[in-house]
Amino acid sequence: MKYIFLVAGKGSRLNPLTSDMPKSMFMLGRDTTLIARMVTLIRRYDREADIVVVTGHRHKSIEEELNGVTFINNPFYEVTNSIASLWFAKRHLDTDNVVLIDGDIVMSEELVRDVLCKPVEKAHVLLDSSISENGDYNVQISGERVLVMSKELDHYYGEYAGVTKLDRESALAMRKEIESMVDGGYYDQWYENALVQMIFRDDFELFYTDISTYDWTEVDNVSDLIHAKSIHMSEQ
């Protein structure tokens, strides 16, 4: 499968920790960073993994950290959002089973093995239904399908876990949508907002996988970083 990591952002909510390095370069132990650990686990459970990393802030540190991946740089990371980063990587949205991963996500090894590296036949997002209050970017559902994803939801089923999995048809539809949005000047949006546009306008079928029984975190603050370290250390 193809895995596209989006790691261009500055992580300003963690300043000054991120002033000299991206969040993805946080040390989770003596011998690994957040991004290196995720890449190692993916390669452990998907021997054919094709990994693409879209960089921006302090990109050279990431390029020096990882081997055997394809790097794409978003030079406009300070004035754009993840939709622009994915736009720069759009030629990679041309194959079956594309996994889009926010660069500040830390997962348990079991979650990578059981869910992240498993192929899908239809478009899915990962969500955590145990987080139904104070979530960051949230998901409301109807049956097996996603109705909407937004930061503005008062009531929702769970928090989005920073991963979208696409089959070939949905990957190509996603490429067309982000091209249209960026051409229209919406380069300051999260790429997930393109999925929401597709749901409302085209009745795009987006499904979900609930990962509430697994350990994971998005690293947005110091408490999240401590959680990320605990996930890693529990597996040593």
Side-chain angles (χ1 to χ4, degrees):
M1 295 198 298
K2 182 166 289 186
Y3 303 81
I4 303 176
F5 283 89
L6 302 173
V7 300
K10 295 182 69 174
S12 56
R13 283 187 283 184
L14 269 162
N15 277 338
L17 293 175
T18 51
S19 59
D20 294 325
M21 64 177 176
K23 286 192 288 185
S24 58
M25 285 295 292
F26 281 141
M27 296 297 299
L28 297 182
R30 292 182 178 180
D31 59 350
T32 193
T33 59
L34 191 160
I35 184 71
R37 177 182 174 277
M38 287 293 292
V39 168
T40 296
L41 288 176
I42 287 170
R43 286 176 170 160
R44 182 175 300 167
Y45 293 106
D46 183 354
R47 298 296 178 89
E48 304 298 323
D50 180 5
I51 298 174
V52 177
V53 180
V54 186
T55 63
H57 177 58
R58 302 289 183 180
H59 64 94
K60 289 184 179 180
S61 63
I62 301 175
E63 292 163 2
E64 292 170 355
E65 174 75 0
L66 301 175
N67 295 312
V69 308
T70 300
F71 290 108
I72 297 173
N73 183 247
N74 172 6
F76 308 112
Y77 66 91
E78 291 200 67
V79 294
T80 63
N81 210 324
S82 62
I83 194 171
S85 291
L86 191 54
W87 182 91
F88 278 103
K90 63 184 179 180
R91 67 183 178 87
H92 294 281
L93 295 173
D94 62 351
T95 187
D96 205 10
N97 284 295
V98 180
V99 185
L100 309 178
I101 310 172
D102 291 348
D104 57 356
I105 300 298
V106 175
M107 296 179 169
S108 67
E109 182 171 351
E110 291 80 7
L111 179 52
V112 174
R113 179 193 65 205
D114 297 348
V115 180
L116 189 70
C117 292
K118 296 294 185 182
V120 297
E121 296 182 356
K122 298 180 180 179
H124 279 71
V125 294
L126 305 191
L127 62 79
D128 188 337
S129 64
S130 71
I131 304 173
S132 57
E133 294 182 353
N134 301 316
D136 186 25
Y137 193 83
N138 304 305
V139 184
Q140 185 56 282
I141 67 167
S142 176
E144 298 180 342
R145 291 176 59 177
V146 173
L147 284 179
V148 66
M149 301 192 296
S150 175
K151 283 183 173 286
E152 309 302 326
L153 291 175
D154 294 325
H155 303 285
Y156 50 89
Y157 182 72
E159 182 178 26
Y160 173 63
V163 173
T164 297
K165 306 181 74 174
L166 303 170
D167 64 324
R168 180 177 179 83
E169 182 179 355
S170 58
L172 291 173
M174 182 73 167
R175 173 174 174 166
K176 182 178 180 181
E177 184 63 26
I178 64 170
E179 286 178 330
S180 176
M181 290 181 69
V182 170
D183 286 348
Y186 295 101
Y187 49 78
D188 59 346
Q189 301 291 304
W190 290 284
Y191 83 80
E192 293 88 351
N193 289 351
L195 293 170
V196 176
Q197 288 281 97
M198 293 159 66
I199 290 170
F200 279 101
R201 188 190 61 236
D202 306 324
D203 195 29
F204 175 71
E205 291 189 332
L206 181 62
F207 299 86
Y208 68 91
T209 300
D210 188 352
I211 61 169
S212 58
T213 60
Y214 295 93
D215 202 3
W216 74 282
T217 187
E218 178 183 16
V219 178
D220 277 334
N221 53 53
V222 174
S223 294
D224 294 337
L225 181 56
I226 294 171
H227 185 185
K229 285 177 174 284
S230 72
I231 292 173
H232 175 68
M233 297 307 294
S234 69
E235 298 169 346
Q236 300 307 297

